Amino acid sequence: MSDETERHRQDNRSPALHFEMVRRQPAASLAGIVTDICGYREISPGHFRIVEYASLTVPLVISFAEAFAIGLGRSPGDNDRYASFAAGLYAGPVMIESFGGACCVQVNFTPLGARQFFGLPMSELRDRMVGLDDALGFDGIALRERLGEVSDWDTRFDIAEGFIAGRLAEANALSPEIAWAYRTVIASGGRTRVSAIAGEIGWSRKHLAAKFTDAIGIGPKTLSRIVRFNRALSLSKRQDDDWAGIAADCGYADQAHLVREFRQLAGETPTALAALA
């Protein structure tokens, strides 16, 4: 087992423990492209539900068993089943259900890394799940077959990393202006004004928004909202529900503004979300 592979195994000796999860930090050569690679396998029957809040993760899920039920901003219906897929950024909560038979590898890309890896305008993945064949073509299907032929997680992760590295070697370089603008938003905690970023690059706001949406899938204003939200969520774990202080620290106009953003990006009020933690 790789020293950088973390294993979290839960088994069916308890009804609350029903899955195996194995996570690896990517090779140094994939830094800034991939945040982590995860193996997930359910090992007891049941109906399980999680909610993921608006994030800056672009997942590639390669499934070897039952599909997940996924709803964007709502509970999934009978037709919302997805097995192997890629998903772009979504400025809202994602409801995910599984039924005790899921098994998959998930590669989590950064927004900039996803643009290079997929080689698509990320607006084509925004607010949706796209099947593996549409996202990666025959190469994606071949990757799934290779991963399905082996059973241990480390070998699967090695295959996935090699596949990613191969695609990146042929990828076009990112626009340095977009890369700089994205990192500026992140570094500022979402507080830098879009007009200031556009002015620094020498672009109009409209041109920046169009280029940003192609590369990231969302505009710089929406990116800033997600960054502020996640910073506020992180601060709430250390500041004992001082929501007025958190709102000020994160650049919200006031506490009411923060509450509205939490409702839109997480589907919950700050207080309700803190109670779920």
Side-chain angles (χ1 to χ4, degrees):
M1 181 179 71
S2 168
D3 289 341
E4 296 183 354
T5 300
E6 298 179 4
R7 295 179 183 271
H8 303 282
R9 181 181 177 85
Q10 297 189 341
D11 60 38
N12 58 10
R13 288 174 293 184
S14 166
L17 306 178
H18 62 270
F19 66 87
E20 175 187 36
M21 183 176 291
V22 185
R23 192 180 301 275
R24 176 191 286 186
Q25 296 301 306
S29 60
L30 298 181
I33 302 292
V34 174
T35 59
D36 64 314
I37 305 175
C38 176
Y40 177 80
R41 182 172 70 92
E42 293 176 343
I43 53 182
S44 67
H47 180 190
F48 312 110
R49 182 177 186 271
I50 64 170
V51 179
E52 295 185 352
Y53 313 123
S55 76
L56 297 180
T57 295
V58 179
L60 171 65
V61 175
I62 302 172
S63 175
F64 316 110
E66 289 184 5
F68 295 93
I70 305 174
L72 300 181
R74 58 175 175 78
S75 295
D78 293 338
N79 295 325
D80 298 319
R81 300 295 179 95
Y82 303 92
S84 298
F85 63 91
L89 297 180
Y90 174 65
V94 180
M95 288 69 168
I96 304 171
E97 297 182 359
S98 57
F99 308 93
C103 180
C104 67
V105 167
Q106 178 169 324
V107 181
N108 292 320
F109 291 90
T110 67
L112 293 179
R115 179 63 175 89
Q116 288 186 275
F117 173 77
F118 289 106
L120 298 169
M122 293 308 294
S123 55
E124 295 185 12
L125 299 183
R126 181 186 61 206
D127 299 352
R128 61 191 295 233
M129 280 67 68
V130 176
L132 185 64
D133 53 343
D134 289 328
L136 295 176
F138 290 116
D139 288 346
I141 302 303
L143 172 63
R144 183 190 178 281
E145 291 178 353
R146 288 184 64 199
L147 293 174
E149 289 171 354
V150 297
S151 57
D152 69 284
W153 293 118
D154 280 311
T155 302
R156 283 174 169 168
F157 293 167
D158 290 342
I159 292 171
E161 285 193 354
F163 179 82
I164 296 165
R167 283 184 66 91
L168 291 175
E170 301 177 357
N172 295 324
L174 286 171
S175 159
E177 293 87 355
I178 292 299
W180 178 86
Y182 175 84
R183 292 175 180 131
T184 297
V185 172
I186 299 298
S188 72
R191 301 188 65 166
T192 299
R193 296 179 64 85
V194 175
S195 58
I197 294 173
E200 188 69 25
I201 297 174
W203 292 353
S204 68
R205 289 188 58 168
K206 183 177 180 180
H207 185 68
L208 173 63
K211 291 291 187 180
F212 218 87
T213 301
D214 173 88
I216 307 298
I218 56 178
K221 184 175 180 180
T222 301
L223 174 68
S224 297
R225 291 177 60 216
I226 295 175
V227 171
R228 282 196 301 269
F229 161 73
N230 279 280
R231 182 165 182 264
L233 192 61
S234 178
L235 287 176
S236 71
K237 299 173 184 178
R238 306 195 301 268
Q239 295 189 12
D240 297 324
D241 297 343
D242 175 17
W243 295 112
I246 291 171
D249 286 346
C250 294
Y252 292 102
D254 50 31
Q255 188 172 339
H257 182 199
L258 179 146
V259 171
R260 290 195 300 274
E261 288 291 274
F262 267 61
R263 286 187 181 277
Q264 292 183 17
L265 299 177
E268 300 281 0
T269 65
T271 302
L273 204 60
L276 295 172

